[in-house]
Amino acid sequence: MATGGPRILIVEDETSQLQLLSYNLSVEGYQVFTATTGAEGLLVLDEQEVDLILLDWMLPHVSGLEVCRRIRRGKATRHIPVIMLTARGEEDDKIRGLDTGADDYVVKPYSLKELMARVRAALRAKSGQPENDLMVYLGLTVDLVQHRVSIGNESIPLGPLEFKLLRLMIGCPGRVWSRDQLLDRVWGDNLNVDTRTVDVHIGRLRKQIARVTDENYIRTVRGFGYALDKSS
Ligand code: CA
């Protein structure tokens, strides 16, 4: 097993899945810890410092959701990014998962390539370091050095809050953000804003993008929040 790379705990009761994930993450240079039940996963967390947790939704005895809650309650574990592995068609469950404090989710059967990209994105978001100065999602480009957003050659002028929103969301394409999460990450400790403010600035962001393209990049998740997701 490789050493020195970021440390990842996988909690997954299906042994074949666990082995496949474990093998592929090791090959990528991650240090891997494994558990087949939630209780075992929590025990590992008592003894090891990890950088990221991949957590299966459907676990025997203690569900992935409950494990996630406990991780978020633990003083030593509450800041560890959690990616939930969910089965197809659990849309409500996925959202509840994020509401519970999971950082992201991947739907089974997932492609390893996609999962690896999510793992890198979550670790990057944790460290606060973008991979490079340009963040690109399906033609939409955010230049962090020049503070410039564009599609093709068309520049998209944005206010500072719209820029921060887009910069955050482009770091994890497809991730569903609740209004509270966006408020927390973009507005920080400013207590004078409420979640409707998020809607206003998402509206402005959409309007600016719509000036240069017919494509809708930002998806509304009704009753919850938003995702940067062109496919929908
Ligand atoms: Ca399972």
Side-chain angles (χ1 to χ4, degrees):
M1 217 169 265
T3 54
R7 300 153 71 91
I8 298 181
L9 168 65
I10 312 167
V11 187
E12 165 67 81
D13 61 315
E14 285 154 68
T15 336
S16 58
Q17 284 284 323
L18 185 64
Q19 283 169 352
L20 183 75
L21 273 178
S22 176
Y23 171 76
N24 281 282
L25 287 163
S26 300
V27 166
E28 294 286 321
Y30 297 105
Q31 295 184 68
V32 179
F33 301 88
T34 60
T36 53
T37 66
E40 202 188 321
L42 291 165
L43 272 178
V44 172
L45 290 172
D46 280 344
E47 289 165 6
Q48 304 286 347
E49 267 184 40
V50 306
D51 299 298
L52 177 82
I53 300 162
L54 293 176
L55 182 57
D56 183 28
W57 182 269
M58 296 293 283
L59 288 169
H61 316 303
V62 188
S63 73
L65 188 68
E66 181 53 29
V67 175
C68 190
R69 283 201 189 102
R70 292 191 197 175
I71 289 167
R72 284 295 168 259
R73 279 204 300 263
K75 207 173 175 184
T77 56
R78 65 168 57 128
H79 299 295
I80 304 172
V82 175
I83 300 178
M84 300 281 318
L85 311 173
T86 74
R88 189 178 287 281
E90 291 176 330
E91 185 71 35
D92 289 345
D93 286 353
K94 277 183 240 165
I95 290 169
R96 271 201 292 142
L98 293 170
D99 216 12
T100 311
D103 293 83
D104 200 359
Y105 63 85
V106 175
V107 180
K108 292 180 182 179
Y110 47 79
S111 80
L112 277 169
K113 206 177 147 198
E114 184 199 357
L115 183 69
M116 293 299 172
R118 297 295 184 89
V119 164
R120 285 192 299 271
L123 288 169
R124 222 157 49 223
K126 181 185 175 233
S127 71
Q129 288 298 313
E131 194 166 34
N132 55 40
D133 299 336
L134 282 186
M135 300 175 86
V136 183
Y137 174 65
L138 297 175
L140 183 64
T141 303
V142 177
D143 185 326
L144 298 173
V145 172
Q146 296 187 37
H147 241 256
R148 184 172 172 272
V149 176
S150 57
I151 293 177
N153 292 327
E154 301 270 7
S155 195
I156 302 172
L158 293 180
L161 288 166
E162 287 76 43
F163 185 88
K164 278 180 88 174
L165 269 173
L166 182 59
R167 183 198 158 153
L168 176 69
M169 293 172 86
I170 206 169
C172 307
R175 168 175 172 172
V176 180
W177 298 86
S178 72
R179 288 178 176 81
D180 282 324
Q181 286 168 337
L182 291 172
L183 207 54
D184 195 45
R185 298 284 192 99
V186 173
W187 280 264
D189 294 331
N190 189 341
L191 298 173
N192 296 319
V193 292
D194 63 32
T195 50
R196 275 168 303 182
T197 308
V198 175
D199 300 334
V200 170
H201 289 274
I202 287 281
R204 285 186 194 161
L205 179 56
R206 276 185 170 144
K207 201 170 144 197
Q208 290 302 94
I209 293 174
R211 287 167 65 159
V212 302
T213 177
D214 293 335
E215 305 276 4
N216 182 18
Y217 278 90
I218 297 169
R219 175 165 61 100
T220 300
V221 181
R222 264 176 56 188
F224 191 75
Y226 300 98
L228 184 76
D229 191 351
K230 194 179 160 187
S231 58
S232 52

